[in-house]
Amino acid sequence: EPIDMAVLPDSRVLHTTRGGQVRLTDPSQGTTTVVNTIEVYANSEDGLQTVAIDPGFEDNNWVYLVYAPRDADGDGVADTPTGSAPNSLPVGADESYWEQWEGVNRLSRFQWTGESLDLATEQVILDVPVQRGQCCHVGADIDFDGDGNLYLSTGDNTPASAPGAN
């Protein structure tokens, strides 16, 4: 499930896959390899979304990713249940029941080593709250303006009819 790509200054291409792989295509060699795997929450449309190269990449080597972290708070436990939420509240549950499907889509940047992302260099820029219980409308794209300002557009994974969408 390829999602996005970004061309490096040397003409190699970074690709993201929804399942969390960052792939590198070297057109001069005719090869594509998996250079990183990001641990992602991958129910419905969630996962690794987009990749972008910093406008000053040749000086700073920053690569930006947007992804759905499985464990955003870093406590070693998945933040949200796997699978979709039920279509209605279980008997005896109140509206707080839906809170267990609240997660984030994360915009982070990483240093490019020349061959892969150094995952230890992750700098979290923004966590966008999202409801993960019902499918669909996940998405993200990153762009920069002429002054180097970063812009992020997202989907929210919240169809209007989803229980708890309010």
Side-chain angles (χ1 to χ4, degrees):
E1 293 180 81
I3 300 290
D4 198 12
M5 65 181 183
V7 180
L8 296 168
D10 64 6
S11 297
R12 294 183 299 166
V13 181
L14 292 173
H15 309 257
T16 58
T17 68
R18 191 179 69 83
Q21 293 180 338
V22 178
R23 297 178 183 189
L24 178 65
T25 296
D26 185 337
S28 69
Q29 300 295 317
T31 59
T32 298
T33 56
V34 175
V35 295
N36 293 99
T37 301
I38 309 293
E39 188 175 353
V40 297
Y41 175 84
N43 185 52
S44 299
E45 296 173 349
D46 282 298
L48 176 55
Q49 293 293 318
T50 194
V51 59
I53 306 302
D54 192 277
F57 178 84
E58 293 187 65
D59 295 321
N60 63 29
N61 293 316
W62 287 119
V63 174
Y64 296 78
L65 298 176
V66 175
Y67 68 100
R70 195 178 150 279
D71 177 20
D73 60 12
D75 66 359
V77 178
D79 297 327
T80 54
T82 58
S84 297
N87 289 324
S88 59
L89 276 173
V91 174
D94 63 22
E95 290 294 317
S96 68
Y97 175 81
W98 304 120
E99 293 172 6
Q100 65 185 309
W101 279 280
E102 292 173 359
V104 299
N105 286 334
R106 175 167 288 164
L107 168 61
S108 289
R109 70 180 183 180
F110 301 84
Q111 284 285 295
W112 177 249
T113 69
E115 298 303 321
S116 66
L117 299 173
D118 179 349
L119 299 181
T121 65
E122 179 176 15
Q123 293 182 348
V124 176
I125 296 170
L126 180 66
D127 280 343
V128 179
V130 63
Q131 177 281 121
R132 293 178 169 170
Q134 296 291 326
C135 179
C136 294
H137 309 125
V138 174
D141 196 27
I142 301 166
D143 205 354
F144 296 89
D145 68 13
D147 293 326
N149 294 307
L150 184 152
Y151 290 86
L152 170 66
S153 63
T154 67
D156 65 0
N157 195 40
T158 310
S161 62
N166 293 334

